[in-house]
Amino acid sequence: MVQVYVEPISRRHYAPYFSVAFLYRPFCIIASLIIAFSIALTSGGLWVKTHTYVTQPSVRFKYDMLLVFETTNGPGTERVWSTFDSVNYLMGNKLAPVDISASEQDVNSDGKVDLIDIKAVVRGVGDVNGVKALIAFDYSLGGRVDLVMNSMAYAAHSSPLAGSGLYVDGYLRLDQRDAIPAGFTRHDYNYSVFPFAEHGEAKGDTRHASTLRLPVVLNQYNFRNESTYLDAKTPVWESGNSPDFTFQARVRIPTSQQVLYRPTTLEIWKFAWVQILAIYIIFWWIFTKFEYVVFHHRIVDTRVVSDLQAKSHRF
C-alpha cells in the first residue's frame, strides 16, 4: 500500500470570553514582551545613544592663510604674512613678501577633492629656523549627518639649524568633542576660523589686534565641538642658508572619515525593536510548549471537540 493523502486530526478547545483559558494566550504574548524588554534593557545597548559611520568629507581650500616665519635673530624678528589686508597693514615692516600657489586634485574622479597642494615662497626673509602656518578650508559632511563649517589645519616646525624649506604631508582629520545630532543641517561653525576676520577687513583696522596672537586663534578654535587638524607625522625640514624660504603642504582628504553622531528617535527605536523581537521569539516559543501542557492536561477548563468523535449527518 502507498500513502496518497494525509488528513490531520485535531482536538479543539473552546472556552467563554475572558475566561482563564481565553486569557492564557494574551497573557503569554504580554509576558514574552515584558521579559524580552527587561532582558534587552538590563543587558545594555537597548537605547543606542551614539552611532558611527564613515564618509569622505567635501573639502575646498578657502585661500585664507596666516604664516609666521621665525628667524635665527631671536624673538621679535618674526616675519608674518596673511591673506587679510588688515593683518598685513598691522605688521608694518614685519610683513613678508610671499608668493602663494595652490591646486586641488580629484584623484579617483568621484567629484570630491582628494589632495590639496599649497606652496608659499617667501623672499628675502633671511635665515629661518621655524615656521607656523594656519590654513582655512570649507568643510562639509553628508550621509547620516549634514555638516557645513569652516575648518583649519595647523602646521608648525622648528629646527636649531637655519632652513630653506619645510614640507608637510598629512591627512585632514575630523576631531569631535561630542556626537553630532542627526536629522538636520548643522551650520554652527560656518564662519571664519580667524577671529579678526569677523570684524571687517578694512585696511588699517587694528581694533582687534589682540586676536592676532596664535594662542588666541587656536584657543578659540579648539573650543569648538567639531574641528579639524592636520595629521602630518613626518615633516621634512630642508636645512641651508638661503634668503628665500619655501613652505609646501600636501593636505590629503581621508576617504573613510569616521563620524560620531547622535541618531534620531526613529533610528533608536529601529535598533531597539530588533533586539526585543529576537528575545521575544525565544520566550514565545517556550510559552507555546507550555500551552500544549496546559490544554492537553486540562489545567484550565475548556470544552473539547475531537475529530475522532462520530458526527451526526442529516440528509
Side-chain angles (χ1 to χ4, degrees):
M1 300 294 290
V2 179
Q3 177 178 296
V4 295
Y5 181 72
V6 176
E7 183 176 356
I9 299 176
S10 303
R11 296 179 66 196
R12 297 175 176 84
H13 295 255
Y14 295 89
Y17 286 109
F18 305 109
S19 63
V20 176
F22 176 82
L23 295 175
Y24 178 80
R25 179 163 292 182
F27 169 79
C28 292
I29 295 174
I30 295 173
S32 299
L33 286 172
I34 293 175
I35 295 173
F37 178 81
S38 300
I39 293 176
L41 181 63
T42 55
S43 61
L46 178 62
W47 307 119
V48 179
K49 297 181 179 179
T50 59
H51 262 262
T52 58
Y53 78 103
V54 294
T55 185
Q56 180 176 355
S58 297
V59 182
R60 301 300 298 269
F61 180 42
K62 282 182 63 69
Y63 292 90
D64 285 347
M65 293 181 63
L66 178 64
L67 299 175
V68 179
F69 301 94
E70 299 173 342
T71 66
T72 57
N73 296 328
T77 61
E78 302 89 354
R79 303 294 296 275
V80 179
W81 178 88
S82 78
T83 54
F84 303 97
D85 290 337
S86 60
V87 175
N88 293 339
Y89 180 85
L90 185 66
M91 289 301 101
N93 58 2
K94 289 187 176 182
L95 180 64
V98 177
D99 295 329
I100 294 288
S101 61
S103 64
E104 299 176 342
Q105 301 179 45
D106 180 6
V107 178
N108 51 12
S109 301
D110 63 348
K112 293 185 176 181
V113 175
D114 298 299
L115 293 173
I116 300 176
D117 289 314
I118 302 170
K119 183 178 181 180
V121 180
V122 56
R123 309 290 182 183
V125 73
D127 294 334
V128 176
N129 66 346
V131 178
K132 298 175 182 177
L134 279 71
I135 310 169
F137 301 93
D138 282 320
Y139 190 98
S140 63
L141 293 173
R144 299 299 305 159
V145 170
D146 291 323
L147 172 70
V148 179
M149 69 174 182
N150 281 210
S151 70
M152 180 172 63
Y154 174 67
H157 188 78
S158 61
S159 171
L161 301 176
S164 60
L166 172 64
Y167 175 76
V168 293
D169 187 334
Y171 284 92
L172 188 68
R173 306 283 188 188
L174 176 66
D175 187 32
Q176 298 177 246
R177 299 174 63 187
D178 196 6
I180 304 173
F184 62 93
T185 302
R186 185 173 173 85
H187 295 95
D188 292 20
Y189 305 114
N190 194 23
Y191 54 82
S192 177
V193 296
F194 298 100
F196 45 81
E198 299 303 308
H199 305 296
E201 281 306 301
K203 211 176 253 192
D205 185 0
T206 60
R207 292 172 299 165
H208 302 274
S210 62
T211 60
L212 295 178
R213 297 176 59 246
L214 293 187
V216 174
V217 176
L218 294 175
N219 181 64
Q220 180 170 325
Y221 181 71
N222 290 330
F223 263 112
R224 294 167 37 156
N225 187 66
E226 298 93 37
S227 58
T228 57
Y229 66 95
L230 185 63
D231 186 12
K233 300 178 180 178
T234 54
V236 178
W237 180 262
E238 299 176 356
S239 59
N241 295 321
S242 173
D244 300 337
F245 187 90
T246 302
F247 169 76
Q248 296 183 75
R250 167 161 284 189
V251 181
R252 302 177 185 269
I253 314 304
T255 56
S256 299
Q257 174 64 61
Q258 191 174 57
V259 181
L260 181 69
Y261 73 98
R262 190 176 300 114
T264 61
T265 303
L266 183 62
E267 187 174 354
I268 293 174
W269 275 103
K270 180 182 71 173
F271 285 100
W273 171 246
V274 171
Q275 299 177 64
I276 295 173
L277 180 62
I279 303 174
Y280 166 80
I281 291 174
I282 297 174
F283 281 91
W284 172 245
W285 178 84
I286 294 174
F287 276 116
T288 56
K289 299 305 177 184
F290 276 107
E291 187 179 42
Y292 170 79
V293 176
V294 169
F295 288 100
H296 181 76
H297 294 284
R298 308 297 299 277
I299 297 176
V300 295
D301 293 333
T302 58
R303 182 172 65 87
V304 181
V305 177
S306 175
D307 290 344
L308 294 177
Q309 296 177 349
K311 299 180 180 179
S312 60
H313 298 276
R314 180 177 297 178
F315 298 95

